[in-house]
Amino acid sequence: MMNSLRLPIHILWIFGLAFMVLAGCERLADPYSAEAYKQATSLKARSLALVAKGTEPYSKHEQMADALLIDAASAFEFAKGRGKEASQTAAKQWAIIVDPNGGSLGDFVAQWRKAPNQRMGQFFVDEFSEILSVQFDRIIELETGRRSTSSGEG
């Protein structure tokens, strides 16, 4: 008789513990941010459009480049401010994108400014486009994963 009472209490205890763990994990997960997703997708398109103009003189696109770097820095600060682990991963990726020595957008703009005749070669432009696309896709995937988690999809 004693064993038959212990089994239901034990099972309830396990279910209760599992519920608390799952509920706790949900609070630790980063919430989806439509703003972060919009920033990443918009900045990807604008960055690729700017890089495609790299064979033209930098001075012709200086305002566009400056505005884009400011917007990318703003996205970096937004990601840093979100706090949680996945947001910090996104913030690290944004830091690479804006760094003038990071092999990404900031680096491309810095090199474009200093290039002879302020023009980049087509091969260089094509290579940077591929690099940027992958880097932005990483941030977009982070945000898409949070959306799937938050909505119960995926």
Side-chain angles (χ1 to χ4, degrees):
M1 179 135 185
M2 189 62 119
N3 284 341
S4 64
L5 289 177
R6 281 185 143 181
L7 186 60
I9 292 172
H10 183 68
I11 289 173
L12 289 174
W13 184 82
I14 290 172
F15 281 126
L17 182 61
F19 176 77
M20 289 185 337
V21 167
L22 291 174
C25 288
E26 183 63 29
R27 288 187 197 114
L28 294 175
D30 285 346
Y32 171 69
S33 169
E35 178 64 24
Y37 180 80
K38 181 179 175 185
Q39 283 178 333
T41 55
S42 173
L43 287 169
K44 177 183 178 181
R46 291 174 53 208
S47 295
L48 293 175
L50 177 69
V51 170
K53 297 175 188 307
T55 57
E56 299 173 12
Y58 173 76
S59 57
K60 188 175 176 182
H61 304 287
E62 186 173 5
Q63 287 181 329
M64 182 181 179
D66 289 345
L68 186 58
L69 289 174
I70 289 169
D71 290 347
S74 175
F76 167 57
E77 293 300 328
F78 182 79
K80 276 191 342 185
R82 290 180 67 199
K84 305 244 172 131
E85 186 176 335
S87 293
Q88 292 311 303
T89 302
K92 288 175 186 173
Q93 191 67 36
W94 281 116
I96 292 167
I97 287 171
V98 299
D99 184 353
N101 298 308
S104 191
L105 179 65
D107 197 352
F108 179 86
V109 171
Q111 290 186 47
W112 191 12
R113 277 185 193 132
K114 298 175 194 171
N117 301 320
Q118 292 189 320
R119 295 172 189 255
M120 307 302 286
Q122 188 63 52
F123 178 79
F124 191 75
V125 166
D126 292 344
E127 289 299 308
F128 252 93
S129 291
E130 288 182 34
I131 291 167
L132 275 175
S133 186
V134 169
Q135 291 171 334
F136 275 103
D137 285 347
R138 175 70 180 119
I139 294 171
I140 292 165
E141 287 168 5
L142 286 168
E143 291 306 326
T144 302
R146 284 192 276 246
R147 178 176 57 194
S148 295
T149 301
S150 296
S151 67
E153 301 169 5

